[in-house]
């Protein structure tokens, strides 16, 4: 059964159910992480908020002519400014808007899946997207990454609809939606022409050129206001934003383990290197500055020089980066218990700090505290002073047997600060004791071997009885399902689903499903990338995974039905059934 054959009531019930499920998972994820979200890409968030404040205050000139704001496209700052204008500078209001948009993306994915799969399989796809811990986590930081997804999904859905309604207007609207996503992030800048090249796979003869032209024109017209503004203000051709230069360089540096090219892998290090090279102290303070366009183009030329001189090495980098993009981000799943609701007092004083012996494994355990007593059913907080001089840490509160994680916190170095000058972090880690009466603090390397750490004596304080304990009955089933959202589970299903489409020779369907992943795995992989830039590809991967699950389920059901049919016990003669 496909979506077209469903009654309007059925459609509404499925869509409403998926919407509520996605909203619930994102609310619970926010509840778990609301005290830590401000730490995610803090400097990037500030870069978006500053022009948003200027625009909300009516200072349009400052919004458009500060070249240091050109490191990002203007769309997200405009969204923030609109929210600030209506609700004040409220992070919660921004997160609520992003959650609603991301929940809408779940519904759009269901509509896309229902074009290719039976409605039950499409509902499975929507449910997986709703429960996904990765999708829920990416919707909460004050960054534009989750807002990019709905317009791209809607664009693909419109293109899919052209199989039944061959309207050129759909291609123009789809292009405009892709252009709209570029206002938020520039990663999809070449997506419209990339899909236009694929139109022979899903557009009938005689309409391909018009369809491709409408798609590209829709994207170009939507992007054009940004390009025109840049030309008027800076007298340069800058289609969307600056930043390609340092992104390209940092992407090269990430894979240059021997530092053959002397390219730093952080913005700050690039700025300092340029200040030293060109004898300009201002370069060390800002990424762009007065001659920011020239600096960005100089970085691009430097990166292209490396690519020209080492083309095969760089091709390998692109392949490895593309393969890395297919991995799911290892984000935390939902906590078993609702988080601490009481205010958390700060830690005063450091006490004596003692060095920990280093561990040579990336996730090796550095320290396990003595068992600390707590009352059951309480909101608690674990206090510990920590000074990190090298590496990265993960600090966990666990039960006495170290089987259950009650809370965790990651700790990174302060960039640009020498080891002796690194600050002492007076950590206050909230957790819920639930049914545990003894807990331990465990310190481990976190994707960094040989971390250098000094730590003080930890202790635990009780804050009061836990609230929302009834939510554990909702959290624990969702948590159980979320634990399967790992690359080792999902990627094989994606591959099986892909082969199922290939076996049925559904080439046009595959072209539409894989257009966005193919673009990000090839074009985007030429630059430095983070998984949050490309996680839109995993929405399309879930369609393939759902196809595999559906076929596996129908196969098992068919075999089981056949087994019970052939082994059905005979009815004794004379017995009434």
């Amino acid at each position: 059964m496909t979506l077209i054959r469903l009654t309007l009531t059925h459609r509404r019930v499925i869509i409403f159910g998926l919407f509520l499920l996605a909203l619930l998972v994102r609310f619970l994820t926010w509840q778990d992480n609301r005290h830590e979200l401000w730490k995610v890409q803090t400097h990037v968030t500030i870069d978006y908020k500053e022009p948003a404040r200027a625009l909300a205050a009516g200072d349009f000139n400052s919004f458009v002519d500060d070249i240091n704001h050109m490191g990002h496209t203007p769309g997200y700052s405009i969204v923030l400014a609109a929210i600030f204008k209506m609700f004040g500078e409220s992070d919660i209001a921004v997160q609520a808007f992003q959650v609603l948009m991301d929940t809408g993306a779940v519904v759009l994915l269901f509509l896309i899946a229902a074009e290719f799969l039976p409605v039950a399989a499409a509902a499975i796809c929507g449910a997986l997207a709703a429960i996904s811990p990765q999708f829920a986590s990416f919707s909460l930081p004050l960054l534009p990454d989750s807002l990019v997804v709905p317009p791209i999904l809607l664009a693909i859905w419109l293109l899919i609809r052209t199989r039944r309604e061959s309207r050129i207007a759909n291609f123009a609207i789809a292009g405009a939606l892709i252009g709209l996503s570029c206002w938020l992030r520039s990663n999809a800048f070449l997506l419209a022409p990339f899909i236009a090249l694929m139109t022979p796979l899903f557009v009938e003869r005689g309409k391909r050129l018009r369809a491709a032209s409408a798609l590209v024109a829709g994207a170009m017209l939507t992007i054009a206001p940004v390009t025109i503004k840049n030309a008027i203000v800076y007298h340069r051709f800058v289609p969307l934003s600056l930043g390609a230069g340092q992104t390209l360089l940092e992407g090269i540096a990430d894979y240059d383990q021997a530092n053959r090219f002397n390219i730093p892998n952080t913005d700050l290090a690039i700025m300092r290197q340029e200040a030293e090279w060109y004898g300009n102290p201002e370069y060390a303070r800002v990424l762009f500055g007065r001659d920011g366009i020239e600096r960005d183009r100089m970085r691009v030329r430097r990166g292209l020089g490396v690519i020209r001189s080492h083309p095969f090495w760089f091709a390998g980098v692109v392949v490895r980066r593309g393969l890395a993009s297919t991995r799911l981000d290892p984000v935390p799943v939902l906590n078993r218990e609702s988080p601490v609701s009481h205010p958390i007092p700060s830690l005063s004083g450091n006490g004596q700090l003692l060095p920990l012996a280093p561990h040579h494994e990336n996730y090796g355990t550095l320290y396990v505290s003595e068992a600390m007593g707590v009352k059951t059913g309480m909101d608690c907080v674990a206090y510990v002073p920590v000074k990190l001089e090298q590496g990265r840490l993960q600090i966990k509160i666990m039960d006495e047997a170290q089987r259950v994680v009650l809370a965790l916190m990651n700790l990174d170095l302060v960039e640009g600060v020498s080891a002796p000058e690194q600050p002492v972090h007076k950590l206050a880690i909230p957790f819920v004791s639930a049914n545990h009466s003894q807990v331990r603090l465990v310190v481990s390397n976190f994707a960094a071997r040989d971390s250098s750490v000094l730590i003080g004596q930890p202790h635990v304080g009780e804050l009061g009885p836990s609230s929302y304990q009834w939510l554990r009955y909702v959290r624990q089933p969702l948590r159980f399902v979320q634990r399967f959202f790992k690359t080792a589970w999902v990627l094989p299903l994606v591959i099986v689903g892909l082969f199922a489409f290939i076996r049925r020779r559904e080439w046009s369907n595959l072209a539409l499903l894989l257009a966005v992943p193919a673009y990000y795995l090839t074009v985007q992989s030429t630059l430095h990338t983070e998984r949050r830039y490309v996680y839109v590809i995993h929405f399309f991967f879930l369609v393939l995974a759902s196809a595999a699950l559906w076929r596996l389920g129908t196969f098992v059901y068919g075999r089981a039905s056949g087994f019970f049919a052939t082994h059905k016990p005979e009815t004794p003669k004379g017995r009434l059934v």
Side-chain angles (χ1 to χ4, degrees):
M1 180 186 280
T2 62
L3 184 64
I4 299 173
R5 298 172 189 166
L6 291 176
T7 66
L8 182 60
T9 301
H10 287 150
R11 297 183 198 182
R12 288 175 175 172
V13 167
I14 294 173
I15 289 172
F16 186 65
L18 291 174
F19 186 88
L20 287 182
L21 178 61
L23 201 61
L24 172 65
V25 172
R26 281 146 185 77
F27 167 74
L28 295 177
T29 305
W30 173 83
Q31 193 182 43
D32 284 350
N33 298 283
R34 65 186 187 275
H35 296 302
E36 301 295 319
L37 288 171
W38 67 272
K39 299 178 182 178
V40 179
Q41 298 287 335
T42 306
H43 295 295
V44 179
T45 299
I46 292 171
D47 288 343
Y48 283 116
K49 282 186 172 181
E50 286 181 353
R53 292 188 190 105
L55 187 59
D59 187 0
F60 185 73
N61 289 336
S62 176
F63 175 76
V64 299
D65 67 4
D66 188 340
I67 196 168
N68 291 309
H69 295 161
M70 283 188 64
H72 306 287
T73 49
Y76 190 59
S77 293
I78 293 172
V79 170
L80 293 180
I83 294 173
F84 291 171
K85 197 75 174 176
M86 289 186 288
F87 303 102
E89 192 169 328
S90 167
D91 289 355
I92 292 178
V94 177
Q95 290 161 346
F97 174 74
Q98 292 182 181
V99 162
L100 287 174
M101 293 297 291
D102 196 60
T103 302
V106 171
V107 173
L108 283 171
L109 185 64
F110 166 72
L111 296 175
I112 290 172
E115 298 288 341
F116 303 123
L117 306 174
V119 69
I124 291 171
C125 181
L128 291 175
I131 296 173
S132 165
Q134 287 82 14
F135 295 174
S137 295
F138 281 127
S139 70
L140 295 175
L142 300 186
L143 298 168
D145 306 294
S146 64
L147 297 183
V148 170
V149 175
I152 291 178
L153 292 181
L154 186 55
I156 296 300
W157 181 71
L158 284 173
L159 296 179
I160 292 169
R161 300 282 291 184
T162 60
R163 297 178 307 166
R164 292 194 302 272
E165 305 168 6
S166 187
R167 298 171 54 194
I168 299 301
N170 278 8
F171 286 89
I173 297 170
L177 288 166
I178 293 171
L180 178 62
S181 79
C182 293
W183 276 69
L184 297 161
R185 281 203 68 90
S186 59
N187 303 79
F189 178 60
L190 297 176
L191 179 58
F194 186 89
I195 296 176
L197 294 174
M198 301 175 68
T199 51
L201 296 174
F202 58 88
V203 179
E204 62 188 27
R205 290 180 181 273
K207 294 185 177 180
R208 291 171 181 170
L209 182 58
R210 284 186 296 161
S213 300
L215 182 67
V216 174
M220 289 179 63
L221 289 173
T222 308
I223 292 170
V226 182
T227 309
I228 293 170
K229 184 271 293 183
N230 291 339
I232 293 173
V233 176
Y234 302 109
H235 309 291
R236 298 286 193 283
F237 176 70
V238 181
L240 279 167
S241 62
L242 301 177
Q246 87 266 12
T247 302
L248 178 61
L249 291 177
E250 290 168 16
I252 291 172
D254 282 346
Y255 288 85
D256 179 23
Q257 300 298 327
N259 196 26
R260 292 182 296 167
F261 310 123
N262 190 28
I263 297 176
N265 63 355
T266 66
D267 290 353
L268 181 60
I270 286 176
M271 290 154 51
R272 289 178 173 176
Q273 186 183 69
E274 290 175 352
E276 181 180 351
W277 281 7
Y278 298 101
N280 189 339
E282 182 187 353
Y283 283 9
R285 294 193 293 270
V286 291
L287 194 57
F288 300 111
R290 289 175 297 175
D291 51 352
I293 295 176
E294 287 72 19
R295 289 178 71 183
D296 190 59
R297 291 178 177 176
M298 176 270 294
R299 294 164 188 158
V300 171
R301 289 193 297 270
R302 184 181 177 190
L304 292 178
V306 172
I307 295 170
R308 283 193 299 268
S309 59
H310 299 81
F312 296 108
W313 174 84
F314 186 73
V317 168
V318 172
V319 171
R320 284 185 286 167
R321 193 178 285 144
L323 292 174
S325 297
T326 64
R327 300 180 62 85
L328 289 170
D329 215 35
V331 301
V333 299
L334 290 173
N335 293 334
R336 290 179 173 82
E337 306 286 337
S338 293
V340 170
S341 57
H342 291 81
I344 302 169
S346 58
L347 173 66
S348 59
N350 295 335
Q352 184 179 10
L353 299 179
L354 299 175
L356 301 181
H359 199 292
H360 304 308
E361 295 182 4
N362 284 340
Y363 295 91
T365 300
L366 302 172
Y367 172 78
V368 178
S369 74
E370 297 291 333
M372 297 176 284
V374 293
K375 294 180 182 178
T376 59
M378 298 291 286
D379 283 354
C380 304
V381 58
Y383 295 107
V384 59
V386 176
K387 182 178 182 181
L388 175 63
E389 296 185 341
Q390 176 182 309
R392 300 179 71 203
L393 294 182
Q394 186 167 83
I395 302 168
K396 300 177 184 178
I397 307 300
M398 306 186 73
D399 69 325
E400 185 180 12
Q402 300 179 55
R403 295 194 184 100
V404 179
V405 177
L406 303 178
L408 63 83
M409 179 180 292
N410 298 330
L411 188 61
D412 290 299
L413 293 168
V414 177
E415 188 177 355
V417 178
S418 64
E421 300 300 321
Q422 288 288 327
V424 176
H425 300 273
K426 301 176 182 179
L427 301 182
I429 308 173
F431 68 96
V432 175
S433 63
N435 59 347
H436 303 287
S437 58
Q438 298 281 333
V439 298
R440 297 181 188 272
L441 184 136
V442 179
V443 180
S444 307
N445 287 330
F446 186 54
R449 64 184 64 187
D450 296 322
S451 296
S452 177
V453 190
L454 290 87
I455 190 170
Q457 181 66 34
H459 67 277
V460 171
E462 294 174 355
L463 305 175
S466 301
S467 303
Y468 307 110
Q469 294 188 49
W470 59 273
L471 278 175
R472 70 179 60 166
Y473 303 109
V474 177
R475 286 173 163 277
Q476 292 187 11
L478 291 173
R479 173 187 169 87
F480 175 78
V481 177
Q482 284 188 336
R483 293 175 68 181
F484 291 95
F485 281 81
K486 297 179 179 179
T487 305
W489 286 97
V490 176
L491 194 56
L493 291 174
V494 173
I495 295 171
V496 171
L498 176 63
F499 278 107
F501 274 86
I502 292 174
R503 184 180 179 185
R504 294 168 65 93
R505 299 181 181 276
E506 299 181 28
W507 306 119
S508 63
N509 291 345
L510 268 181
L512 289 163
L513 265 181
L514 296 181
V516 173
Y519 169 80
Y520 277 92
L521 294 179
T522 54
V523 177
Q524 177 61 42
S525 292
T526 60
L527 299 172
H528 166 73
T529 189
E530 297 180 24
R531 290 196 182 109
R532 63 186 178 90
Y533 299 167
V534 301
Y535 92 105
V536 63
I537 69 176
H538 293 284
F539 282 80
F540 296 95
F541 285 171
L542 278 188
V543 178
L544 298 174
S546 301
L549 286 172
W550 174 254
R551 292 187 181 278
L552 179 62
T554 53
F555 173 79
V556 172
Y557 177 78
R559 286 299 180 95
S561 299
F563 174 82
F564 288 114
T566 56
H567 293 78
K568 184 177 180 180
E570 296 183 4
T571 304
K573 293 182 179 180
R575 177 173 291 183
L576 185 65
V577 292

